[in-house]
Amino acid sequence: MTAVLRVLYLIFNEGYTATAGADLTRVDLTGEAIRLARMLHATAPDDAEATGLLALMLLTESRRAARTDAGELIPLDQQDTTRWNREMIDEGTTLIDSVWNRGPAGTYQLQAAIAAVHAAAEPDRTDWSQIAVLYLWLERLTPTPPVQLARVVAVAHAYGPARGLALLDDLNRHHHLDRNPLTRQREHAVRAHLLQRTGDNSAAAGLFRRAAGLTDNQVEQRYLRRKADRLDDLPNRSSQL
Protein backbone atom coordinates (compact mmCIF):
# COMPACT_ATOMS: atom_id res chain seq x y z
CA MET A 1 0.00 0.00 0.00
CA THR A 2 2.81 2.43 0.89
CA ALA A 3 4.41 2.08 -2.54
CA VAL A 4 1.07 2.56 -4.32
CA LEU A 5 0.33 5.72 -2.35
CA ARG A 6 3.79 7.06 -3.16
CA VAL A 7 3.37 6.47 -6.89
CA LEU A 8 -0.03 8.19 -6.94
CA TYR A 9 1.42 11.10 -4.96
CA LEU A 10 4.27 11.54 -7.44
CA ILE A 11 1.91 11.36 -10.43
CA PHE A 12 -0.31 14.03 -8.92
CA ASN A 13 2.62 16.31 -8.06
CA GLU A 14 4.00 16.10 -11.59
CA GLY A 15 0.59 17.06 -12.91
CA TYR A 16 0.07 19.90 -10.46
CA THR A 17 3.38 21.57 -11.33
CA ALA A 18 4.94 20.05 -14.41
CA THR A 19 8.72 19.83 -14.35
CA ALA A 20 8.93 21.06 -17.95
CA GLY A 21 6.84 22.49 -20.75
CA ALA A 22 4.71 25.46 -21.66
CA ASP A 23 1.94 24.80 -19.13
CA LEU A 24 2.09 25.02 -15.36
CA THR A 25 -0.09 21.96 -14.88
CA ARG A 26 -0.99 18.71 -16.59
CA VAL A 27 -4.66 18.06 -15.94
CA ASP A 28 -4.40 14.60 -17.48
CA LEU A 29 -2.03 13.54 -14.70
CA THR A 30 -3.86 15.18 -11.79
CA GLY A 31 -7.18 13.84 -13.03
CA GLU A 32 -5.84 10.31 -13.39
CA ALA A 33 -4.16 10.42 -9.99
CA ILE A 34 -7.42 11.53 -8.35
CA ARG A 35 -9.37 8.81 -10.20
CA LEU A 36 -6.97 6.11 -9.02
CA ALA A 37 -6.91 7.52 -5.48
CA ARG A 38 -10.71 7.34 -5.41
CA MET A 39 -10.56 3.70 -6.48
CA LEU A 40 -7.96 2.94 -3.82
CA HIS A 41 -10.01 4.69 -1.14
CA ALA A 42 -13.10 2.72 -2.20
CA THR A 43 -11.25 -0.58 -1.79
CA ALA A 44 -9.63 0.44 1.51
CA PRO A 45 -11.98 2.97 3.16
CA ASP A 46 -10.49 2.34 6.60
CA ASP A 47 -6.93 3.13 5.51
CA ALA A 48 -6.29 6.57 6.99
CA GLU A 49 -3.36 7.37 4.72
CA ALA A 50 -5.28 6.42 1.55
CA THR A 51 -8.06 8.70 2.75
CA GLY A 52 -5.54 11.41 3.57
CA LEU A 53 -3.98 11.19 0.12
CA LEU A 54 -7.32 11.56 -1.63
CA ALA A 55 -8.16 14.50 0.63
CA LEU A 56 -4.80 16.11 -0.14
CA MET A 57 -5.30 15.75 -3.90
CA LEU A 58 -8.80 17.21 -3.80
CA LEU A 59 -7.87 20.14 -1.58
CA THR A 60 -4.80 20.94 -3.69
CA GLU A 61 -6.53 20.52 -7.04
CA SER A 62 -9.36 22.76 -5.83
CA ARG A 63 -7.05 25.77 -6.38
CA ARG A 64 -5.92 24.87 -9.89
CA ALA A 65 -8.16 27.29 -11.79
CA ALA A 66 -6.92 30.23 -9.70
CA ARG A 67 -3.21 29.41 -10.08
CA THR A 68 -2.90 30.96 -13.53
CA ASP A 69 -4.42 33.88 -15.39
CA ALA A 70 -3.83 34.24 -19.12
CA GLY A 71 -1.13 31.59 -18.76
CA GLU A 72 0.75 33.42 -16.02
CA LEU A 73 1.37 32.05 -12.53
CA ILE A 74 -0.62 33.57 -9.67
CA PRO A 75 0.87 32.91 -6.20
CA LEU A 76 -1.41 31.68 -3.45
CA ASP A 77 -1.66 34.99 -1.62
CA GLN A 78 -2.90 36.72 -4.78
CA GLN A 79 -5.37 34.11 -5.99
CA ASP A 80 -9.06 34.86 -6.55
CA THR A 81 -10.59 32.46 -4.04
CA THR A 82 -13.96 32.59 -5.83
CA ARG A 83 -12.27 30.46 -8.49
CA TRP A 84 -11.44 27.73 -5.98
CA ASN A 85 -13.57 24.60 -6.41
CA ARG A 86 -15.73 24.53 -3.29
CA GLU A 87 -17.09 21.04 -3.96
CA MET A 88 -13.55 19.66 -3.91
CA ILE A 89 -12.75 21.64 -0.77
CA ASP A 90 -15.85 20.34 1.02
CA GLU A 91 -15.15 16.76 -0.01
CA GLY A 92 -11.46 16.94 0.89
CA THR A 93 -12.17 18.57 4.26
CA THR A 94 -14.80 15.95 5.10
CA LEU A 95 -12.36 13.18 4.23
CA ILE A 96 -9.50 14.48 6.37
CA ASP A 97 -11.84 15.21 9.27
CA SER A 98 -13.08 11.61 9.12
CA VAL A 99 -9.63 10.13 9.80
CA TRP A 100 -7.87 12.85 11.78
CA ASN A 101 -8.47 11.33 15.22
CA ARG A 102 -8.03 7.66 14.37
CA GLY A 103 -4.45 7.50 15.55
CA PRO A 104 -1.05 9.04 14.84
CA ALA A 105 -1.32 11.03 11.63
CA GLY A 106 0.74 9.96 8.64
CA THR A 107 2.43 12.11 6.03
CA TYR A 108 -0.54 12.35 3.66
CA GLN A 109 -2.95 13.15 6.46
CA LEU A 110 -0.67 15.94 7.67
CA GLN A 111 -0.32 17.40 4.19
CA ALA A 112 -4.09 17.23 3.75
CA ALA A 113 -4.54 19.01 7.08
CA ILE A 114 -2.22 21.79 5.90
CA ALA A 115 -4.16 22.09 2.64
CA ALA A 116 -7.40 22.25 4.63
CA VAL A 117 -6.09 25.17 6.72
CA HIS A 118 -5.29 27.03 3.50
CA ALA A 119 -8.75 26.28 2.11
CA ALA A 120 -10.55 27.39 5.27
CA ALA A 121 -9.66 31.08 5.02
CA GLU A 122 -8.84 33.93 2.69
CA PRO A 123 -5.07 34.04 2.02
CA ASP A 124 -4.59 37.14 4.18
CA ARG A 125 -6.24 35.38 7.14
CA THR A 126 -4.44 32.05 6.88
CA ASP A 127 -3.43 30.57 10.24
CA TRP A 128 0.28 30.34 9.44
CA SER A 129 1.28 29.47 12.99
CA GLN A 130 -0.88 26.36 12.80
CA ILE A 131 0.61 25.50 9.41
CA ALA A 132 4.13 25.95 10.81
CA VAL A 133 3.35 23.47 13.60
CA LEU A 134 1.92 20.96 11.13
CA TYR A 135 5.02 21.27 8.94
CA LEU A 136 7.26 20.69 11.96
CA TRP A 137 5.26 17.55 12.70
CA LEU A 138 5.52 16.49 9.07
CA GLU A 139 9.25 17.21 8.96
CA ARG A 140 9.82 14.88 11.88
CA LEU A 141 8.16 12.09 9.89
CA THR A 142 9.64 12.90 6.48
CA PRO A 143 12.57 15.36 6.63
CA THR A 144 12.69 15.91 2.87
CA PRO A 145 13.84 19.19 1.25
CA PRO A 146 10.33 20.13 -0.03
CA VAL A 147 8.91 19.72 3.48
CA GLN A 148 11.80 21.59 5.09
CA LEU A 149 11.52 24.48 2.64
CA ALA A 150 7.76 24.60 3.08
CA ARG A 151 8.27 24.90 6.84
CA VAL A 152 10.67 27.79 6.24
CA VAL A 153 7.93 29.58 4.30
CA ALA A 154 5.33 28.88 6.98
CA VAL A 155 7.63 30.09 9.77
CA ALA A 156 8.40 33.26 7.80
CA HIS A 157 4.70 33.99 7.33
CA ALA A 158 3.93 33.29 10.97
CA TYR A 159 6.90 34.98 12.64
CA GLY A 160 8.59 37.18 10.05
CA PRO A 161 11.16 36.79 7.25
CA ALA A 162 14.14 37.04 9.60
CA ARG A 163 13.01 33.86 11.39
CA GLY A 164 12.53 32.16 8.04
CA LEU A 165 16.01 33.13 6.83
CA ALA A 166 17.56 31.94 10.10
CA LEU A 167 15.86 28.57 9.72
CA LEU A 168 16.96 28.31 6.09
CA ASP A 169 20.55 29.14 7.06
CA ASP A 170 20.40 26.49 9.78
CA LEU A 171 19.24 23.85 7.29
CA ASN A 172 22.17 24.71 5.03
CA ARG A 173 24.66 24.88 7.87
CA HIS A 174 23.80 21.35 9.00
CA HIS A 175 23.60 20.01 5.43
CA HIS A 176 19.94 19.05 5.68
CA LEU A 177 19.24 20.22 2.13
CA ASP A 178 20.52 18.12 -0.75
CA ARG A 179 22.05 19.76 -3.78
CA ASN A 180 19.94 18.48 -6.67
CA PRO A 181 18.72 21.14 -9.15
CA LEU A 182 15.08 21.02 -8.01
CA THR A 183 16.02 21.60 -4.38
CA ARG A 184 18.40 24.41 -5.32
CA GLN A 185 15.71 26.00 -7.48
CA ARG A 186 13.20 25.92 -4.62
CA GLU A 187 15.76 27.12 -2.11
CA HIS A 188 16.75 30.10 -4.29
CA ALA A 189 13.10 31.02 -4.81
CA VAL A 190 12.28 30.78 -1.10
CA ARG A 191 15.33 32.81 -0.08
CA ALA A 192 14.56 35.40 -2.76
CA HIS A 193 11.00 35.89 -1.45
CA LEU A 194 12.27 36.27 2.10
CA LEU A 195 15.02 38.71 1.11
CA GLN A 196 12.46 40.74 -0.82
CA ARG A 197 10.36 40.97 2.33
CA THR A 198 13.36 42.27 4.27
CA GLY A 199 13.98 44.92 1.61
CA ASP A 200 17.14 43.40 0.10
CA ASN A 201 15.80 43.75 -3.42
CA SER A 202 19.06 43.41 -5.34
CA ALA A 203 19.97 40.08 -3.71
CA ALA A 204 16.40 38.87 -4.16
CA ALA A 205 16.45 39.73 -7.87
CA GLY A 206 19.64 37.76 -8.39
CA LEU A 207 18.22 34.71 -6.65
CA PHE A 208 14.95 34.88 -8.57
CA ARG A 209 16.97 34.75 -11.80
CA ARG A 210 19.04 31.83 -10.53
CA ALA A 211 15.85 29.99 -9.61
CA ALA A 212 14.40 30.70 -13.07
CA GLY A 213 17.48 29.17 -14.65
CA LEU A 214 16.95 25.92 -12.75
CA THR A 215 13.39 25.15 -13.89
CA ASP A 216 12.25 23.94 -17.29
CA ASN A 217 8.65 24.96 -16.67
CA GLN A 218 8.12 28.03 -18.82
CA VAL A 219 5.34 29.46 -16.64
CA GLU A 220 7.56 29.30 -13.57
CA GLN A 221 10.45 30.80 -15.53
CA ARG A 222 8.38 33.81 -16.60
CA TYR A 223 7.04 34.36 -13.11
CA LEU A 224 10.48 34.29 -11.50
CA ARG A 225 12.07 36.51 -14.14
CA ARG A 226 9.25 39.05 -13.86
CA LYS A 227 9.79 39.13 -10.11
CA ALA A 228 13.47 39.85 -10.70
CA ASP A 229 12.81 42.53 -13.33
CA ARG A 230 10.40 44.37 -11.05
CA LEU A 231 12.94 44.43 -8.24
CA ASP A 232 15.72 45.85 -10.42
CA ASP A 233 14.26 49.36 -10.26
CA LEU A 234 13.59 49.31 -6.52
CA PRO A 235 16.06 50.54 -3.87
CA ASN A 236 17.24 48.28 -1.07
CA ARG A 237 15.14 49.35 1.90
CA SER A 238 17.40 47.52 4.32
CA SER A 239 20.38 49.65 3.24
CA GLN A 240 18.47 52.80 4.09
CA LEU A 241 17.73 51.84 7.70
Side-chain angles (χ1 to χ4, degrees):
M1 176 68 81
T2 300
V4 174
L5 293 174
R6 180 63 178 170
V7 169
L8 294 181
Y9 178 74
L10 292 174
I11 292 171
F12 180 84
N13 281 351
E14 174 60 25
Y16 194 67
T17 303
T19 54
D23 298 316
L24 182 65
T25 62
R26 288 189 56 185
V27 181
D28 57 328
L29 292 182
T30 57
E32 182 66 4
I34 290 173
R35 184 185 73 83
L36 293 173
R38 286 191 186 281
M39 291 176 60
L40 186 63
H41 174 63
T43 61
D46 294 327
D47 189 296
E49 278 289 78
T51 302
L53 179 60
L54 177 56
L56 171 63
M57 289 181 180
L58 292 169
L59 288 163
T60 306
E61 181 70 0
S62 71
R63 300 194 298 268
R64 176 173 55 82
R67 292 181 70 217
T68 57
D69 185 18
E72 301 303 323
L73 189 151
I74 308 298
L76 179 61
D77 61 353
Q78 297 175 27
Q79 288 175 13
D80 178 0
T81 58
T82 65
R83 298 180 66 192
W84 290 0
N85 187 316
R86 291 295 160 183
E87 290 184 4
M88 284 188 172
I89 289 173
D90 290 344
E91 183 181 1
T93 302
T94 299
L95 284 168
I96 190 57
D97 285 346
S98 73
V99 296
W100 187 247
N101 293 317
R102 287 190 188 176
T107 58
Y108 301 118
Q109 294 167 74
L110 286 168
Q111 289 179 76
I114 292 167
V117 175
H118 280 297
E122 293 293 322
D124 61 349
R125 296 184 178 181
T126 299
D127 189 346
W128 282 104
S129 60
Q130 182 181 3
I131 290 175
V133 170
L134 289 169
Y135 269 122
L136 177 59
W137 189 354
L138 180 60
E139 184 180 1
R140 289 172 177 170
L141 291 180
T142 54
T144 62
V147 170
Q148 292 167 326
L149 290 172
R151 184 163 81 90
V152 168
V153 173
V155 166
H157 277 289
Y159 307 110
R163 285 278 296 274
L165 286 166
L167 178 57
L168 185 55
D169 288 340
D170 185 66
L171 288 171
N172 276 301
R173 187 161 47 248
H174 293 93
H175 307 291
H176 292 314
L177 293 175
D178 61 42
R179 296 291 91 194
N180 69 66
L182 180 57
T183 298
R184 286 190 288 119
Q185 188 265 339
R186 289 174 173 169
E187 180 190 351
H188 291 333
V190 168
R191 189 179 292 277
H193 280 287
L194 298 184
L195 288 172
Q196 180 184 359
R197 289 180 59 190
T198 68
D200 194 346
N201 294 317
S202 59
L207 284 169
F208 278 129
R209 289 194 174 92
R210 290 174 67 183
L214 290 169
T215 178
D216 291 322
N217 185 290
Q218 296 172 29
V219 178
E220 282 192 314
Q221 287 176 357
R222 290 197 301 272
Y223 169 76
L224 293 166
R225 285 171 179 153
R226 282 202 316 273
K227 291 281 291 183
D229 291 343
R230 289 168 182 166
L231 291 175
D232 282 340
D233 297 328
L234 296 178
N236 283 346
R237 293 193 305 274
S238 58
S239 65
Q240 297 176 354
L241 296 180

